[in-house]
């Protein structure tokens, strides 16, 4: 209610997330690939029709590409130069991502597969063990959200039902 109850006010948060997404895309791409690729990535993101639509939605769809990009950046930092700070930021953003939208589950699954694959390649079993422990903590922190999702999907009967949408 800080910005009001109008449709524009409700969509404003998506816009505030969508605009810096361009700059964050350029920053992450520059770190991973280089300056030319960063400019091209920023241009493609800025001109993406899908992201334009997401930046106008009331739902949190625009947050998912942003959080996926932040998770990519933090995972790269963790894999390149592991530190307690990198671990904590990665886990915090991962938990926020999971609580933001259901689409976060495949993003987090991708993150886990990627990080574990790199450490398996490097034969760093100690870090894999630490990673799995932290992911169990994240899963336990995510558990309070699960009953609500299950009730929404199954309704009062306890059976999963599919409902047609007019969209």
């Amino acid at each position: 209610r800080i910005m009001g109850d109008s449709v524009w006010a409700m969509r404003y948060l998506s816009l505030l997330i969508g605009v810096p997404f361009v700059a964050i895309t350029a920053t992450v791409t520059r770190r991973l690939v280089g300056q030319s690729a960063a400019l091209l990535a920023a241009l493609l993101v800025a001109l993406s029709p899908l992201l334009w639509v997401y930046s106008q939605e009331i739902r949190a769809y625009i947050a998912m590409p942003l959080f996926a990009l932040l998770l990519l950046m933090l995972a790269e930092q963790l894999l390149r130069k592991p530190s307690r700070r990198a671990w904590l930021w990665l886990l915090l953003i991962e938990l926020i991502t999971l609580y933001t939208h259901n689409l976060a589950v495949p993003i987090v699954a991708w993150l886990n597969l990627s990080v574990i694959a790199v450490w398996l390649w490097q034969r760093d079993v100690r870090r894999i063990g630490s990673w799995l422990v932290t992911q169990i903590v994240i899963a336990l922190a995510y558990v309070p959200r699960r009953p609500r999702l299950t009730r929404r999907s199954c309704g009062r009967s306890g059976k999963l039902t599919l409902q047609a949408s007019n969209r």
Side-chain angles (χ1 to χ4, degrees), residues 3 6-22 24 45 50-67 100-101 167:
M3 297 183 296
S6 70
V7 174
W8 185 87
M10 289 188 275
R11 292 179 177 186
Y12 191 65
L13 180 60
S14 291
L15 179 67
L16 289 177
I17 292 171
V19 171
F21 182 61
V22 176
I24 294 170
V45 166
L50 183 62
L51 293 174
W52 278 54
V53 170
Y54 283 174
S55 289
Q56 298 172 30
E57 290 283 327
I58 293 173
R59 301 218 33 189
Y61 294 124
I62 191 65
M64 287 301 96
L66 175 66
F67 286 139
T100 300
H101 201 282
R167 284 179 148 209

Side-chain angles (χ1 to χ4, degrees), residues 73-153:
M73 179 181 74
L74 292 166
E76 185 271 335
Q77 184 179 353
L78 178 69
L79 293 170
R80 186 176 32 85
K81 186 178 176 185
S83 69
R84 182 170 290 187
R85 183 177 180 215
W87 278 83
L88 291 175
W89 273 109
L90 182 69
L91 296 175
L92 177 66
I93 297 298
E94 184 179 347
L95 187 59
I96 291 170
T97 304
L98 284 168
Y99 269 90
T100 300
H101 201 282
N102 299 338
L103 292 173
V105 174
I107 293 170
V108 170
W110 158 81
L111 172 72
N112 277 282
L113 289 173
S114 301
V115 169
I116 290 171
V118 169
W119 281 334
L120 278 173
W121 181 263
Q122 296 173 349
R123 295 191 173 115
D124 196 345
V125 179
R126 185 181 57 82
R127 285 202 179 113
I128 293 173
S130 299
W131 178 260
L132 291 175
V133 168
T134 58
Q135 293 308 301
I136 289 170
V137 170
I138 290 289
L140 291 174
Y142 184 61
V143 165
R145 181 158 165 85
R146 290 302 313 154
R148 195 183 103 202
L149 293 174
T150 304
R151 278 195 306 274
R152 183 183 298 161
S153 300

Side-chain angles (χ1 to χ4, degrees), residues 15-42:
L15 179 67
L16 289 177
I17 292 171
V19 171
F21 182 61
V22 176
I24 294 170
T25 299
T27 302
V28 171
T29 307
R30 186 179 317 110
R31 278 181 48 184
L32 295 175
V33 185
Q35 183 66 30
S36 298
L39 291 173
L40 179 61

